[in-house]
Amino acid sequence: MAESWVNSAELTGSDLHLELAPTGSRRAALADALRAAVREGRLPPGTRLPPYRSLAADLGVARNTVADAYAELVAEGWLTARQGSGTRVAERAAPRAAVRRPKPVPAPAAPSYNLLQGQPDAGSFPRTGWLAAARRALTAAPNEAFGPGDPRGRVELRTALAEYLARARGVRTDPERIVVCAGFAHGLRLLYEGGVLRGPLAVEEYGLPYHRGLLERARVRLLPLPVDGRGADTTALAGLPGVREVLLTPAHQFPTGVPLHHDRRRTATDWARARGGLVLEDDYDGEFRYDRQPVGALQGLDPERVVYIGSVSKSLSPALRLGWMVLPDAVLDGVLAVKGQREAWVSVPDQLTLAEFVTSGGYDRHLRKMRQRYRRRRDQLTSALAEQAPHITVSGVAAGLHAVLRLPAGTERAVVQAAARQGLAVDGLSAHRHPRAAGPAPDGLVIGYATPPDSAYTAALATLCRILPPP
């Protein structure tokens, strides 16, 4: 069996892995190993090899053994040796073995215009402010920040979030009850895949299909609640025996866009208190409102009966994978046990950077800027529809990053197909409806107005208006 070494080259700064036969001449074994590395492409042409002394020390052989092996390979044309340049792999010393590659699978053509919901304006990520916050945060970070830590997340971020959420969203908490996670979906996984909660779970009849699929894969039974102009009908919870958990989007029902009426908010927390249950609050875009007063978090009504989950996916970028859970005492220890001491963590440098970004005021400044930007986008959408398709009703535009367009009955599928033919990506409203929801399903489109770049937005709206059905 061959002997393996991983050899470091002190002067070149490169590492070299060789497998030497355990028997026979050491010079011959080294020469064979180098030939194999070149032939297989592990040592590409031009690679500088370690000096004799370094490689000999690493392999535990005599310096002359390495020198003789190098000389043999130079003579054969595998290597080149020049004064001041060291020993290198010769150019095209041996052809690389042909690699059979699978035929590429054609990727679906990207749409010309993207009006899908759920995506912020990627071009508006605050790169300069984020980079400055990262520099300050990493300069000030203690050494222990880069070792194993608290599964809750960095205390700097939890402290910043406790202050921010209390001020901006009316959340009642302290840093010890905040657990940093990678976003809303990660929070659901910690709660349900980890067995902290088991369901059955009442959900709004309209929601994100991805979240429903995640919960169903965790074997959670989902029961739909009706949604109307006052949000989810939480009075229906009383008629669901055995259910002690409900998932709501109180600030901005997804995707219909209405806030949960204050009477129904109270009904939800009263029900949870009476059942010994929990309300899961998805505050997915609570920072963005335009034509209404801000709606505070439901969690503020009863912190011991509401699991509050938020993230920066809409406010900054989904690429950051940063979120948080504000947990009642009843589930805090269970979530921490599932999260573990080392697994399912969010990058510590990103946590420190977000903490600095929040405490320095950069996050608030960014949100104010984006509110103005998204409001202009929203106004462009409503103006274009009023001018070119006045018969189409638009709703859910007082807040958030998307709007719902109501369509004539029976037209949604044809409109979505027509949009695809025109290179326009849109969501149909029916895609977000629970398959077991009762009653008729209205036709509509869910239009995300945050995603397209400014240069493409006007054309995207023109294309949208062209594919809408006539009055």
Side-chain angles (χ1 to χ4, degrees), residues 39-77:
R39 187 184 300 115
E40 294 165 7
R42 292 187 287 112
L43 288 177
T47 301
R48 185 176 181 179
L49 298 183
Y52 303 155
R53 183 176 300 169
S54 298
L55 187 56
D58 285 339
L59 295 176
V61 299
R63 178 180 181 277
N64 287 343
T65 299
V66 178
D68 291 346
Y70 279 13
E72 179 180 338
L73 296 178
V74 169
E76 294 176 1

Side-chain angles (χ1 to χ4, degrees), residues 158-285:
R158 291 185 285 111
T159 301
L161 287 172
E163 184 279 329
Y164 170 77
L165 294 173
R167 169 172 54 84
R169 303 295 302 126
V171 171
R172 295 159 55 194
T173 189
D174 58 64
E176 295 306 303
R177 293 174 61 169
I178 295 177
V179 174
V180 178
C181 59
F184 183 78
H186 184 210
L188 286 184
R189 289 190 178 98
L190 290 172
L191 289 166
Y192 285 98
E193 290 183 1
V196 179
L197 300 177
R198 300 183 182 277
L201 174 67
V203 297
E204 296 164 331
E205 68 176 348
Y206 284 96
L208 197 63
Y210 176 74
H211 292 160
R212 284 202 301 268
L214 183 158
L215 290 162
E216 288 169 348
R217 286 191 295 274
R219 301 182 182 277
V220 179
R221 187 161 66 98
L222 305 180
L223 303 172
L225 289 177
V227 172
D228 57 26
R230 302 203 303 170
D233 184 5
T234 55
T235 62
L237 289 168
L240 299 176
V243 175
R244 297 175 58 199
E245 301 147 25
V246 60
L247 172 60
L248 301 173
T249 51
H252 191 226
Q253 201 286 320
F254 180 82
T256 64
V258 295
L260 187 62
H261 190 270
H262 58 83
D263 288 343
R264 293 184 175 181
R265 291 162 67 93
R266 284 287 181 189
T267 298
T269 54
D270 290 347
W271 168 85
R273 199 176 304 114
R275 288 272 177 102
L278 291 170
V279 178
L280 278 62
E281 178 175 11
D282 180 3
D283 196 27
Y284 67 98
D285 64 359

